[in-house]
Amino acid sequence: MKKVLPALLILFATMTYAQETKQVPQISVSGEGKVKVIPDEATIVATVETKGNDAKTIKKENDRKIEAVLKFIKKMNIPATDFKTQRVALNPQYDYEKKKHSYNATQTIEISLKDLNKYDELMEGLVNEGINRIDNVTFESSELAKHESQARKLAMKDAKLKAEDYVSVLGQKIGKALLISDNSQVYRPQPIFMAAMAKREMSDVAPRETLALGEIEITSNVTVSFILD
């Protein structure tokens, strides 16, 4: 009996506390903000690929072409901090039908192009100097942080407007925000994949405009819980 009594007292106190705890009227809504901007930068990933039966020979040929590519990139006045070797590989390949080995040498360069006016000339020159594979081209904004901030503010405004719409029919108003959850995904520019490019001769005609940049969309998503007054 002595053991049961303390247990009953604890249970009674818990029930009393629960009864005294008031539920805070609130509403939880989601909000979305979108900002569309014209990209002003591009990241280009380009590869020199050579194949042959002698590893030393194809590696030497691959190095010669990549050296010419790097010289051209520097000639385009692209800062050294804006291009780098991303990957180097020399892989043996075995032909089971012919029962002989061959080799595949690749070197991949990543270029951050801050001036899109140079895009056509750069792409033309890369191919002419030995690039035979454009792995992808990604268009981006140089002011991403600013646009993300704007999208977040728009998302919060959208959430507040939704909450006001819901409670207006009840004759209530929304108060302070209790909880804000950021549900945004990390912004990833969508790459434009390109097939292997065949080398072409330079022509005397005026350069053509080959870019249709359009817009990139930066999105923010939030969930907000408001107190109801």
Side-chain angles (χ1 to χ4, degrees):
M1 184 64 181
K2 291 181 179 180
K3 292 183 179 180
V4 174
L5 185 58
L8 290 172
L9 289 173
I10 293 172
L11 179 61
F12 179 78
T14 302
M15 292 176 63
T16 303
Y17 176 78
Q19 289 174 354
E20 292 178 351
T21 302
K22 295 182 179 180
Q23 293 292 324
V24 178
Q26 58 182 281
I27 182 173
S28 182
V29 294
S30 61
E32 183 176 71
K34 292 183 179 181
V35 176
K36 294 183 179 181
V37 297
I38 297 174
D40 58 0
E41 294 182 347
T43 298
I44 301 163
V45 180
T47 297
V48 172
E49 182 176 21
T50 52
K51 298 180 180 180
N53 297 324
D54 182 71
K56 186 177 180 180
T57 301
I58 69 161
K59 180 63 172 67
K60 187 176 181 180
E61 176 66 12
N62 194 269
D63 287 343
R64 184 189 65 78
K65 290 182 178 180
I66 210 70
E67 182 181 8
V69 168
L70 292 174
K71 285 182 178 179
F72 170 72
I73 293 173
K74 293 175 182 177
K75 187 178 178 181
M76 289 288 295
N77 293 320
I78 296 176
T81 54
D82 289 346
F83 63 93
K84 63 182 179 181
T85 299
Q86 187 189 76
R87 183 173 59 253
V88 178
L90 177 59
N91 299 314
Q93 296 177 333
Y94 187 71
D95 189 329
Y96 287 95
E97 291 184 0
K98 297 181 179 180
K99 296 183 178 180
K100 59 186 294 187
H101 279 94
S102 62
Y103 296 88
N104 184 30
T106 59
Q107 292 192 62
T108 300
I109 305 295
E110 181 179 298
I111 307 164
S112 179
L113 184 62
K114 303 295 178 59
D115 182 1
L116 291 183
N117 290 322
K118 296 181 178 180
Y119 178 84
D120 285 333
E121 183 181 356
L122 176 64
M123 296 296 278
E124 183 92 23
L126 289 175
V127 173
N128 288 331
E129 294 298 337
I131 290 292
N132 51 13
R133 206 176 78 206
I134 302 295
D135 295 322
N136 69 59
V137 179
T138 306
F139 294 103
E140 306 160 358
S141 171
S142 61
E143 296 185 317
L144 179 59
K146 184 182 78 171
H147 298 312
E148 286 179 331
S149 176
Q150 185 180 354
R152 285 191 289 268
K153 291 175 182 177
L154 290 174
M156 289 299 297
K157 289 180 179 179
D158 182 47
K160 184 179 179 182
L161 181 61
K162 283 182 180 178
E164 289 173 341
D165 285 343
Y166 283 127
V167 303
S168 62
V169 296
L170 303 175
Q172 292 178 285
K173 295 182 180 180
I174 62 169
K176 294 181 179 180
L178 279 177
L179 180 67
I180 301 173
S181 299
D182 186 354
N183 307 319
S184 304
Q185 296 182 349
V186 178
Y187 168 70
R188 303 286 185 194
Q190 294 298 311
I192 298 178
F193 293 98
M194 304 179 70
M197 298 177 64
K199 185 173 180 178
R200 56 187 178 182
E201 297 298 328
M202 295 287 287
S203 63
D204 295 329
V205 299
R208 295 174 297 171
E209 184 177 348
T210 61
L211 285 183
L213 293 177
E215 295 177 318
I216 53 178
E217 189 174 88
I218 300 167
T219 305
S220 177
N221 291 280
V222 296
T223 300
V224 187
S225 295
F226 294 100
I227 296 175
L228 292 181
D229 292 336

